[in-house]
Every structure is written in structure tokens, then in C-alpha cells.
Amino acid sequence: MKVLVVGSGGREHALASQLLQSDTVEKVFCTPGNGGTARLKNCENVSLLVDDFEGILKLIKEKAIDLVVVGPELPLSLGITDYLQEYQINVFGPNKAGATIEASKSWAKDLMIAGGIPTAKSETFTDKESARNYILQEGVPIVVKADGLAAGKGVIVAMTQEEALEGIEELFAQNFGKVVIEEFLTGQEVSVLALTDGKIIRSLIPAQDHKQIGEGDTGANTGGMGAYAPTPLVNDELSDRITKEILEPTLKELQKRGIDYRGVLYAGLMITPEGDPKTLEFNCRFGDPETQAVLPMLKTPLAEVLLACAQQRLADLPPLEWHEGSAVCVVMVAGGYPSSYEKGKVITGIDQVQTEGVTVFHAGTKLLNQEIITDGGRVLGVTCRDADFQSAIKSAYEAVAKIKFEDMYYRRDIGHRIMNKL
Ligand SMILES: Nc1ncnc2c1ncn2[C@@H]1O[C@H](COP(=O)(O)OP(=O)(O)O)[C@@H](O)[C@H]1O
Ligand SMILES: [Mg+2]
């Protein structure tokens, strides 16, 4: 089959490369792709924007594409799935109504409350005055969230009253319309990505991301600085609870609303000090960089599973099979990220490190005159899969040490939350 991957990040490179490992996949197209997908064997970049639905439809028809896998949330929330399904195209990724679970935090909260899904206590506000009063009444720490898509910049975890009130000012000034204010939770954050065909749901191995730029989880939030999977913070028993208390009830609530959801349901969870899972948010797509750690662990051919989701026959497939061991992904970024940074730096060393078990997933890169140059804030994700977490992390950092570009930065402590617990 021929598959189209929509998007241009590290997640999409990981999707394309994993799809190409399925025997049934002869070719993958990426719109627009990046420097990594440009060099992938049997993969071709087509320079179309992710919201150019007509252009994408034309490409699908021209190349007789059998399956479309949508990476980012933006085209999903704009309705790319609804648009392509009109033409009987197999699409992995929820329709516009389903994508609301990520695009509107207040909508997602309402769904969680209706389904009895464990989450932080919260209130939604449409006017500043009531929001301010609620903060004064509840006290701090407290969390303020923009209702709409904000590319990871819509959440303020406020430790002081000033920060919380400033957050309210900022979000209302940006015209989000609605703001969700919620109880501050403590514990360990994990990401559980699950695949659904709208009828049943199957979770992938649990992962842990590292959101903050600085070591020890300090500093500004980023798109993600590294991930590993599976995380021992979620054992089999907890994983069952997450399925029964969160994933299945969420699917049921979506069904109740008449939503035909075929794609990834990503649950961002806090595991409280008592060991209970609580939902921080849902995303409607694969996580980045969790995908770069989770997919290399998957033994089952990915293309078959995603096509089964798109065709609503996930129940016919045997359970997913996984490799033994662990995978770790260390993200290398441009100096200055997540604030301002430069592009266009030549990257060296990538080909030398791609050995057994190590894969370099490109994010913000492009191919220029046979050289790979930086083209974004998050530049590369270096993934290593090995027999155990300790060996995987060691090899991942050995590979990272051989890759060079001017002003590069990466965290040296990916996996620190479990490092001393294993
Ligand atoms: N209720 C909460 N308590 C503590 N921290 C939170 C809470 N909600 C969110 N956070 C922190 O803020 C980050 C971003 O929040 P999230 O809801 O995932 O929004 P988004 O990913 O859209 O920015 C989370 O990864 C988590 O670290
Ligand atoms: Mg999040």
C-alpha cells in the first residue's frame, strides 16, 4: 500500500520510518516532511501545507494513496478527516468533532465530568472578573489554561497569586474567549497513547516526556526535550486502571455524543502520590517526542494497525506485540529555543551514529545541497532501543555526543525520574 503522512516533525519522521517497515507498505509520501523523510528510502516529500486540503486530495488521487495518517492537531481540528472521508479515503486521525477533545479544554473537561473520568477539579470562565474572584477564593498554587489550541503556550502553572492573575490578564487579552482554572496536582506525569477505531481502544506502552528546557525539569516549557518508553511508573495494574477508568469511558462519552473517533487518543496523566491516575488533558494525535520512543518498540506492523483503525476493524487484529527492553529519545535543539534561535546550521555526524538500535529522527531540519541543515527549534530526536533502560540511555547519549551543529543544546538527564529507581 501507499501511505501519506501529513506533517513535518520528528513524530512524522518516526511514523514514516515505522510504516515503511511493514511488508505491505511500498511507498510513503510526506506533506511536507523534513530533511529526514527526504532521505528515507521509499519515501518522498511533497511540498504541501498541512491545511491545503485540496492539494492533499489531489495528491492522494494522483498517487493512488491507500491510507492517510495525520500527524499534527491543526489539520485535524480544521476537519481534514471529514473532508477526505467524503471521498471514501481511509484516514487515521479523528474528525473535527473528535479533535475538539484537544482543541477545547473546557469541552474536554465537560466530557470528563460527564463520564466520571478522574481529573483535577475545575471551573470554566468567560469573563475576567469571575475568573479573578475564583482564584482569590481558591488560592494558590493553581493552574490557568487557555481554552483553544495554543501550541503548548496556553497553560500557566501559577505558584503565586500574582502569576495566576497575570495569567488571566494575558489569556483574556489574547482573546481565547474561555479560560479553564483547575486544581494544582502533584505527582508523576506520564503519557498514555491509545489507538481507537471508534469502537474499541487499545493502549500503547506508557511513556514519559520531559517538557521543560532545563535539567531537573526547570525553566520554560517546550514541545518536549526527550522521552522514554515503557515507563515503570505505570505497571500492568495501573495500566489496566487507566484503560478502565480513563480510556474506555472517554471513548464511550465520545460515542454518546455521536462522534466517530478513529485515531490516537492521547491521555496526559498525573499519577498522584497515592498512585491514582488523573487526566491533565487529552490530545487527538500522536505525541512528539513520545512517538519517537514508543513506535520503535512496536513489533506489530504499524500500517496494518492504523489501516484497521481507519476501517473500523481493530477488534479483528491480534493484540499488539512489543519488543523487549526500552527505547529512549533525546531531543537536540537550537540554542535559544524555546525563545528565539537561529536556523541554517550544518549538522554533522548523523550518518555515523545510525547503527543497530540507534535512529536519528529529524524534526526541524532540511536537505540543502546534499547537506542537512537546521530549520527549526527542535532539530533532532536521537532514539536508541536496547535490552534495558540503562543501556538504551547510555547508547543514546553516546550517539548524541557524536552529532554536532553550532549552538546545539540538549538535556543530559532524560529519564532522571526513574534513573535511581531501577
Ligand atoms: N492540574 C495541573 N496540576 C499541575 N500541573 C499541571 C496541571 N495541568 C497542567 N499542568 C502542567 O502543565 C503542562 C501543560 O498542561 P496541559 O494541560 O498538558 O496543556 P498543553 O499541553 O495544551 O499545554 C502539563 O504537562 C503539566 O506539567
Ligand atoms: Mg500537554
Side-chain angles (χ1 to χ4, degrees), residues 342-357:
E342 289 177 17
K343 293 182 182 178
K345 313 282 188 196
V346 175
I347 309 171
T348 59
I350 294 176
D351 293 333
Q352 288 80 323
V353 304
Q354 307 244 39
T355 52
E356 187 69 39

Side-chain angles (χ1 to χ4, degrees), residues 228-245:
Y228 66 89
T231 175
L233 298 167
V234 179
N235 59 22
D236 289 349
E237 189 195 341
L238 185 55
S239 176
D240 280 347
R241 281 189 62 194
I242 292 167
T243 299
K244 296 212 167 64
E245 294 173 25

Side-chain angles (χ1 to χ4, degrees), residues 18 21 205 229-230 293-300 320-327 356 385-387:
Q18 193 77 21
Q21 284 170 33
I205 53 173
V294 171
L295 289 187
M297 293 292 295
L298 183 67
K299 251 191 192 170
T300 308
L320 297 175
E321 282 190 70
W322 300 94
H323 291 285
E324 295 289 324
S326 274
E356 187 69 39
R385 174 162 68 78
D386 214 323

Side-chain angles (χ1 to χ4, degrees), residues 54-105:
E54 284 176 24
I56 288 171
L57 175 65
K58 202 163 149 257
L59 177 74
I60 293 167
K61 289 188 167 164
E62 238 170 61
K63 306 289 184 188
I65 283 164
D66 305 284
L67 170 67
V68 180
V69 180
V70 185
E73 61 277 18
L74 182 74
L76 294 168
S77 69
L78 292 174
I80 190 170
T81 302
D82 312 62
Y83 178 83
L84 296 177
Q85 280 175 342
E86 290 280 319
Y87 299 89
Q88 281 69 51
I89 292 161
N90 295 312
V91 187
F92 179 85
N95 54 24
K96 189 173 179 172
T100 315
I101 203 159
E102 173 165 0
S104 168
K105 294 213 192 276

Side-chain angles (χ1 to χ4, degrees), residues 161-188:
Q161 191 175 302
E162 292 71 51
E163 282 174 88
L165 295 177
E166 256 171 49
I168 294 287
E169 288 298 328
E170 260 171 51
L171 296 184
F172 275 103
Q174 289 172 46
N175 285 321
F176 276 105
K178 275 187 202 168
V179 161
V180 174
I181 304 182
E182 76 179 28
E183 170 198 3
F184 173 79
L185 299 174
T186 57
Q188 292 277 359

Side-chain angles (χ1 to χ4, degrees), residues 407-418:
D407 288 337
M408 63 178 206
Y409 169 80
Y410 57 90
R411 274 180 63 167
R412 287 158 207 273
D413 67 342
I414 299 307
H416 72 100
R417 285 172 182 269
I418 59 160

Side-chain angles (χ1 to χ4, degrees), residues 105 143 145 152 155 157 182-185 189 270 280-281:
K105 294 213 192 276
V143 183
K145 299 185 174 187
V155 172
V157 179
E182 76 179 28
E183 170 198 3
F184 173 79
L185 299 174
E189 255 185 272
M270 187 72 92
L280 294 177
E281 66 159 349

